Every structure is written in C-alpha cells, then in structure tokens.
Amino acid sequence: MSNKKVLNFQTEVKQLLNLMIHSLYSNKDIFLRELISNASDAIDKLKFEQIKNPEINKNEELYIEIKFDKDAKTLTISDNGIGMSYDEVIENIGTIANSGTKKFLTQLSGDEKKDSNLIGQFGVGFYSAFIVAKSIELYTLKAGCENSEGVVWMSDGTGEFTIENVNKEQSGTMVVLHLKDDCEEFLSDWKLRSLVRTYSDHINYPIKMLKNITSEDSDKEVVSTELETVNQANALWVRSKNNITNDEYKEFYKHISHDFNEPLIWTHNKVEGTQEYTQLLYIPSKAPFDLYDSKRRYGVKLYIKRVFIMDDAEKLLPNYLRFIRGVIDSQDLPLNISREILQSSKDIDNIRTGSTKKVLSMLEDLVKKDSESYGVFYKEFGNVIKEGIIEDHANKDKIASLLRFISTNSDSDVPNVSLDQYIKQMKANQDKIYFITAESYNSAKNSPHLEVFKKNNIEVLLLIDKIDEWVVSHLNKYEEKELISVASSGLDLSKIINESEEDKSHKKELAKPIIEKIKKSLGDKVKDVQNTTRLINSPSCLLVEENAMSIHMEQILKQAGQPINGSKPILEVNMAHPLVKKLEDTLNEDEDVNISQILFDQATLLEGLKLENPSEFIDRMNKLICL
Ligand code: ADP
Ligand code: MG
C-alpha cells in the first residue's frame, strides 16, 4: 500500500517558490484565499462529475472547513470536492502545468517589487501556502473511483516532496499547514473569520468553522462545539447588484481570474429574452503574461443553472476579447453540454453576440466617464482590441471608434487620438484620414513622407505596431472617410494645399529632364520616378502604388519567413534639393548613375530597409563628397 516516493520539484517550481516566499511576505494573507479557491474549484469539479454520474457522493453536503490547533501550530483547510489520484498529485502539485511558466520566469527582473507585481499576474496558487508554512501535508482521495486509495503529499518547500498512499475515508482534500513561528497570528478564530469574510465571502459553497456553544447558565464553560458557516455561500452573480459591494466584486474577480491585481471595471447583467443568462464580465487592469499564448488558461467560466461546466469556454467571446474574465451562467443550455456542442450551438452564438455587445458598450462608457482608466485599458489591451477590426466584421465600426492613435499633432508617443477626434480636427477640404506605418515611433515621426504634412499642419496618425498593417488593410473607411497611407503614390493634397493646376504643370515641365536621367540610370530597379508631392527637405523617398502592399508590410512578412514578391517601388525626388539639382548639370552618364543610385539608396535606408550593396553606397557617397 505504501508506494512511497521522494521526488524533486520541477526547476521552475523551485524558482517560483523562492520568489514567492521572498516577494510576497508582506502579503501573507493571500495563501488562505488561494487554498479556499482551490477547494471551491474542487467542489465545482465534483458537481460537474455528478451530472454524468449522479451516484457520486450523493446527498452529501459539499463544503469547505477551516480549523486550527494552537498547540500543534497547524492550520487545516479541507474540502469534500473531487480530490486527486496519486498521479494527479504529482502532476498538479510538483510541476507547473502552465506552458507559460518558463516565459514568465524569464521576465523576472530580480527587483522584488516589480517581480511581486508580476507574480500577481501569474497567479500564485497552491504554493503560496509556503509563505506561512514551514511544511505542508496534503491528504487527498479521489471521489467516485472505486477502491481508490488515499494519498499524502508532504514537503517543506525547499526542493523535494514525498508522496505515498495513506488511509483516507472521505473523498476530497485536506491541506495541513505547519505554520512558521512568526505566522502564529493565523491561529486565531477571529483573524481567520475576518479573512474569510474579506476575501472569500463570495465563494459559492459554505466555508465552515467550529463555534463554541456555551451553556445558558455558565457563560465561561465550553459545553460543546458545532460547525458554523462563515461566508454568504451564495453564487455572487446570482445576487442582486444592489446588494453587492465593490469590494465583493473585486474579491470575486481575484478568485475567478487568478489575478492578484484589482479589475479595471466590470459589468453584471441578467439577460432575459430568447435566452436567459447572467453575465458578470471583468476587464483586468493588467494584461496577463500569456495574453498571446495559445495555451493560455482562464477566460470566461461557463455555468449552467449555477453548476460549473468549464473554464475558458472560448466560444463565449470572440478571440479579440480573450482578456475578459468572468462568469456566464445560462438557464437554458443542457447540463451535458460538451466543447464540441459549444462549437456549433446557436444558443452559444446568441450569448456570444450579446456578451460582445456588452463588453464593447462597457468600453464606450469608460471612454465617456473615465478617460484615464480607458488609457490604462488601451495601454494593456489596445493591440488585442485591434484584432477585432479583422475578426469581427459586424462590430468593425464600433471597434474602430475605440482605437487610439499616436499623432503628429502631439509630441507624445502614447496613442490617445481617436478617429472621431481626428475627423473633428481635419483641415478645411480634407476628406481623408492620413496615416503612416513604420517599425518604430522614431522612424515614423522622422519619415520624409511627413514633410509636406508637417509644413501644412495636416495631422497624420503614426502606426507603429505590427498588427497595424493588418488593421488598415481591413479598415479602408471610417465615417465615410477613406484611410490612406502617406506613402501611397495616389496621394493628392491639392485640395487642401491649394496649389494651382498651372503651378503644378509648370513644375512638371521643369522636372522632366531630371526625371528622365534618373529613370535611365536606375533602370528596372524602380517602377517609376516622379516629382515629389510630399518632400520639403529630404531629397528622395520610396512609395508604393495605390493598393499595393506597403514596404513595411513586406518587411514584416519577410521577417516572418514568408516568401513574397514585393512590387517595385516608385522613387519620388525633390527638385528643390541640391543633390537632385546637381543632376541639372551633370556631364556624363557615370555621374547620373552615381547620384541617382545615392538618391535611391538613401530613400531605401529611410524606409528602415537594408541596402543590397552597402559598400557600393559608401563608395558613391565618398566620390561625391571628395569631388
Ligand atoms: P490553479 O488553481 O491556478 O490551477 P494551484 O497552484 O492553486 O493552481 O493548484 C494547482 C492544481 O492542484 C489545481 O489546478 C488542482 O488541479 C490541484 N488542486 C489544488 N488544490 C486542490 C484541492 N483542494 N482539490 C483538488 N485539487 C486541487
Ligand atoms: Mg488555485
């Protein structure tokens, strides 16, 4: 029966334990919340099992119990939930199943303050018990498995744990903490009750503690004890909004999200109609570290008639709202629903449409009521929301109105200009929304493409995130205004700038011979050479044809290893620049080629691209300088 093993913690667990014990010491209380949260999850899972197999632990009252022993200095948290098998204990409590753990650990800085913030996003879980315990015993028996044996897991949290079989009658899990000497404050009835009420009041199941019953006549003498429920033990989302305090909402958030930080905002509604369901949806104040990890955990939990069905029911919200945490509790879905059924359920589609609307209108409200918080939201999740432009056609305009951009109108690199605001600020006769895409703020801001815009005070949005290229390729118009890249060859600012047709054609004539020289010199390197409509100070820049893939987009795809046949660029040159003017009196073709090639290479560099032949470029430059 014994089957005793001594095993090592996974390396990452050791690292995590160390970090946790050191960085969260001033936050000791949280261990209780975490253990209660696990116990509650375990009861959720048992109830879910009972749907398929109603005989399991039939008629048993499901609850969590907390007790302590002052003499032995132990604190015990037990539940009669699902329990764990021998192998499950090893898997769940000794390794970290989360694929993002390694990534998380590489983000650590060694600065305790910063790291303890990070660890909050990571979710501290079971191991937080080692903040207060010098050693832990966990006894568990899996529910519903005939002849299964109990298991005891023991560790002092330094590097290894032992596991062996043990007699346990009652299925479920019991965690015994041997408290550190300086953590004896938790051996107090008053302290424990107040922690439960503060952090775990919202837990759906009773959390019980012993209560002394004193006899009527002698109020000193303890006659007996009985178990008493300390929390409200009622699903929070079922309660009426008016009876729930903000603190309760916040604690509930921490329980379901495994996030240490407070939520930014939430929305809580009962939806009635063809579908009846309750939604309680939160926006976190910090992005989780695994936001871009396809194996990320935690999302919106699905309950059906208050029975927990699954975590991260990804069909309940579109992918671009994957940062939302919360609960959706349906009255109508069948209890035996599976992930496969979820995929194709009309009812789920309905709930998704409704919940998406709710989240978007919650964000719209936030914009109006608390722009500072909206800034926080946008910093954390702006790039994820952008995916909605591509993913959610039906809500495209709404999502577009929620986007924020960096703009040439301010010196800040914080995106805070909306498309509506841009339109309001447009110049007389301007009917397009101008943007530039680039790989960094500096290269966008200093791009020669912006020269004519700056000179004429025309606002340009600076798009510097990778996803922006996809966003603008899906967002051609907003409020009837076309979005157009400043690097597009079709750029025509004549309506705004008021240049007469006469002036234009005069300039064109003057430029002709020079353009011809450059065209001849560059041959098929370029699609075309044209006189500039946008350069003021720089000699040259590269453009792409209207509707062609932008140079920046080509770059992104190339870096991602995608073979692409980019179209040839168009070279624009600025007749007012001395280098271009030089071409008026060049004496031979060699000189033409030299200058033309330099104009082309400089424009290439300014796009953030690499030169095919840098040494040739330097030779040409030197020739020019030394001449
Ligand atoms: P999380 O709760 O985020 O999954 P924890 O570190 O808190 O992470 O717990 C790790 C795992 O250990 C849980 O996912 C669960 O499988 C298991 N576990 C912890 N406590 C219990 C319990 N009381 N009953 C059953 N399983 C538990
Ligand atoms: Mg947990």
Side-chain angles (χ1 to χ4, degrees):
M1 154 142 159
S2 151
N3 204 5
K4 179 166 177 169
K5 267 190 199 163
V6 179
L7 295 171
N8 274 315
F9 282 121
Q10 205 184 8
T11 329
E12 285 84 32
V13 177
K14 281 188 216 168
Q15 247 176 302
L16 197 62
L17 271 170
N18 238 323
L19 169 70
M20 189 145 36
I21 292 168
H22 287 108
S23 58
L24 294 181
Y25 204 72
S26 54
N27 242 321
K28 289 184 206 147
D29 293 354
I30 57 160
F31 82 92
L32 191 65
R33 176 180 87 198
E34 294 296 331
L35 294 181
I36 291 175
S37 174
N38 285 351
S40 158
D41 289 349
I43 299 178
D44 269 347
K45 287 179 197 156
L46 177 68
K47 289 190 85 167
F48 182 62
E49 249 347 271
Q50 286 174 332
I51 300 172
K52 288 180 278 181
N53 187 352
E55 291 306 307
I56 300 181
N57 300 23
K58 205 175 166 182
N59 301 329
E60 203 170 277
E61 190 203 0
L62 300 173
Y63 66 95
I64 299 160
E65 186 183 339
I66 301 174
K67 57 182 182 212
F68 61 93
D69 180 334
K70 268 203 152 126
D71 302 326
K73 295 184 186 166
T74 57
L75 176 61
T76 302
I77 292 98
S78 46
D79 64 74
N80 51 359
I82 191 77
M84 284 176 273
S85 67
Y86 192 95
D87 291 341
E88 283 172 338
V89 174
I90 297 179
E91 194 173 313
N92 297 337
I93 309 205
T95 57
I96 300 176
N98 194 329
S99 66
T101 311
K102 280 210 175 102
K103 203 167 116 202
F104 164 75
L105 287 165
T106 58
Q107 289 178 10
L108 296 178
S109 61
D111 174 341
E112 277 186 13
K113 256 214 178 118
K114 273 194 207 143
D115 290 349
S116 63
N117 209 340
L118 263 179
I119 203 164
Q121 294 169 57
F122 178 73
V124 285
F126 175 79
Y127 301 112
S128 64
F130 283 109
I131 303 172
V132 296
K134 53 187 173 206
S135 67
I136 300 178
E137 290 150 34
L138 174 144
Y139 298 84
T140 186
L141 175 68
K142 181 101 179 177
C145 299
E146 297 271 316
N147 310 325
S148 74
E149 278 183 290
V151 182
V152 57
W153 173 101
M154 284 183 271
S155 177
D156 62 2
T158 49
E160 48 182 44
F161 59 89
T162 63
I163 177 168
E164 66 184 307
N165 284 117
V166 72
N167 259 329
K168 190 173 186 302
E169 299 273 300
Q170 168 70 50
S171 57
T173 303
M174 176 167 90
V175 181
V176 183
L177 310 180
H178 294 267
L179 294 179
K180 292 177 180 168
D181 291 340
D182 56 350
C183 294
E184 289 177 20
E185 63 200 84
F186 296 104
L187 300 172
S188 141
D189 189 62
W190 176 85
K191 168 96 183 176
L192 291 168
R193 280 168 190 260
S194 87
L195 285 180
V196 168
R197 267 186 235 110
T198 316
Y199 297 125
S200 307
D201 199 42
H202 56 77
I203 293 287
N204 303 354
Y205 308 107
I207 301 170
K208 300 191 180 196
M209 289 184 68
L210 280 177
K211 177 185 169 191
N212 293 332
I213 314 278
T214 44
S215 71
E216 289 268 314
D217 19 60
S218 68
D219 57 0
K220 281 255 162 74
E221 200 185 341
V222 175
V223 172
S224 63
T225 56
E226 70 176 17
L227 278 175
E228 175 189 51
T229 300
V230 184
N231 63 330
Q232 293 214 28
N234 192 0
L236 179 106
W237 63 89
V238 179
R239 288 162 50 191
S240 138
K241 268 188 191 178
N242 306 336
N243 299 330
I244 308 176
T245 64
N246 282 353
D247 281 344
E248 285 178 305
Y249 275 120
K250 287 178 189 169
E251 285 309 325
F252 182 69
Y253 166 77
K254 290 180 185 170
H255 164 62
I256 53 162
S257 67
H258 302 248
D259 181 1
F260 201 73
N261 305 292
E262 304 216 324
L264 194 63
I265 38 165
W266 57 85
T267 178
H268 182 191
N269 316 283
K270 265 204 179 72
V271 181
E272 277 154 11
T274 41
Q275 282 277 315
E276 203 178 316
Y277 60 95
T278 301
Q279 56 190 187
L280 173 52
L281 304 173
Y282 292 89
I283 295 183
S285 56
K286 277 224 152 292
F289 69 96
D290 57 358
L291 189 58
Y292 289 95
D293 188 340
S294 61
K295 291 199 198 102
R296 71 190 172 272
R297 310 188 295 173
Y298 317 128
V300 174
K301 284 175 190 262
L302 176 64
Y303 280 75
I304 297 176
K305 300 185 190 76
R306 292 203 220 171
V307 178
F308 167 77
I309 304 295
M310 64 182 81
D311 266 323
D312 190 19
E314 63 283 291
K315 289 290 142 201
L316 291 176
L317 279 174
N319 197 39
Y320 74 95
L321 298 180
R322 61 184 175 276
F323 54 85
I324 299 288
R325 300 289 177 264
V327 168
I328 287 180
D329 187 353
S330 159
Q331 278 303 319
D332 313 309
L333 292 169
L335 275 169
N336 60 1
I337 199 158
S338 65
R339 280 198 193 263
E340 289 68 47
I341 299 176
L342 278 184
Q343 298 282 348
S344 56
S345 154
K346 273 236 148 56
D347 296 337
I348 290 283
D349 286 349
N350 238 320
I351 294 178
R352 182 174 58 235
T353 308
S355 302
T356 303
K357 247 198 203 125
K358 258 283 151 263
V359 173
L360 294 178
S361 66
M362 166 162 67
L363 288 170
E364 281 167 351
D365 279 354
L366 191 63
V367 169
K368 283 185 211 129
K369 289 190 194 131
D370 183 356
S371 59
E372 199 177 313
S373 291
Y374 191 73
V376 173
F377 162 78
Y378 203 79
K379 177 166 166 282
E380 297 293 319
F381 302 110
N383 277 346
V384 187
I385 273 283
K386 285 176 190 169
E387 294 173 18
I389 296 283
I390 302 150
E391 190 187 345
D392 188 353
H393 201 77
N395 289 306
K396 194 155 110 177
D397 288 340
K398 244 189 206 158
I399 299 165
S401 77
L402 290 169
L403 300 185
R404 295 293 179 267
F405 299 92
I406 307 171
S407 142
T408 48
N409 271 14
S410 90
D411 275 333
S412 152
D413 63 353
V414 177
N416 53 18
V417 176
S418 68
L419 291 175
D420 290 305
Q421 204 177 333
Y422 181 98
I423 290 175
K424 245 187 241 151
Q425 290 161 194
M426 278 186 354
K427 302 214 74 147
N429 295 329
Q430 182 181 348
D431 59 356
K432 293 191 169 63
I433 298 171
Y434 297 104
F435 67 84
I436 179 169
T437 57
E439 63 173 4
S440 71
Y441 175 61
N442 274 330
S443 70
K445 199 172 108 174
N446 300 317
S447 166
H449 290 288
L450 298 184
E451 288 171 0
V452 70
F453 291 90
K454 284 184 190 156
K455 186 174 169 212
N456 293 285
N457 264 325
I458 304 169
E459 183 171 21
V460 178
L461 303 175
L462 310 181
L463 310 189
I464 56 168
D465 294 308
K466 272 201 178 132
I467 185 167
D468 290 339
E469 284 284 356
W470 279 270
V471 172
V472 289
S473 69
H474 283 80
L475 187 70
N476 304 320
K477 270 191 173 171
Y478 180 77
E479 296 285 338
E480 301 297 307
K481 305 273 185 294
E482 202 183 327
L483 275 81
I484 182 168
S485 162
V486 297
S488 149
S489 64
L491 187 70
D492 178 8
L493 300 177
S494 55
K495 271 198 212 144
I496 318 174
I497 299 179
N498 276 332
E499 199 183 25
S500 73
E501 284 302 316
E502 219 172 297
D503 273 359
K504 260 204 292 191
S505 66
H506 178 64
K507 272 191 191 164
K508 210 170 174 182
E509 278 310 304
L510 283 179
K512 232 180 187 171
I514 289 184
I515 300 274
E516 283 312 315
K517 274 188 184 175
I518 302 175
K519 266 192 195 165
K520 198 165 159 218
S521 304
L522 293 179
D524 61 4
K525 276 198 170 143
V526 290
K527 171 116 195 156
D528 197 8
V529 179
Q530 61 191 40
N531 189 8
T532 193
T533 50
R534 67 202 84 203
L535 296 172
I536 307 289
N537 301 316
S538 303
S540 60
C541 67
L542 294 181
L543 315 176
V544 292
E545 279 181 285
E546 236 171 317
N547 304 323
M549 186 187 289
S550 80
I551 292 173
H552 179 237
M553 179 76 144
E554 269 182 34
Q555 245 344 66
I556 294 177
L557 293 177
K558 268 191 198 146
Q559 278 163 6
Q562 296 205 29
I564 44 153
N565 278 329
S567 54
K568 277 182 205 157
I570 296 166
L571 182 71
E572 247 196 37
V573 291
N574 177 6
M575 295 300 151
H577 194 278
L579 183 56
V580 180
K581 275 206 178 125
K582 251 183 185 304
L583 281 164
E584 277 173 3
D585 357 274
T586 40
L587 299 171
N588 56 44
E589 249 177 61
D590 265 5
E591 260 184 86
D592 290 350
V593 172
N594 207 34
I595 294 173
S596 304
Q597 189 63 48
I598 286 173
L599 288 171
F600 181 76
D601 285 352
Q602 287 186 346
T604 306
L605 285 173
L606 281 169
E607 288 299 325
L609 303 176
K610 279 204 174 119
L611 296 181
E612 258 170 48
N613 193 340
S615 66
E616 196 182 285
F617 170 67
I618 288 175
D619 278 350
R620 291 185 195 282
M621 285 290 283
N622 290 344
K623 220 187 257 170
L624 204 68
I625 295 166
C626 301
L627 218 65

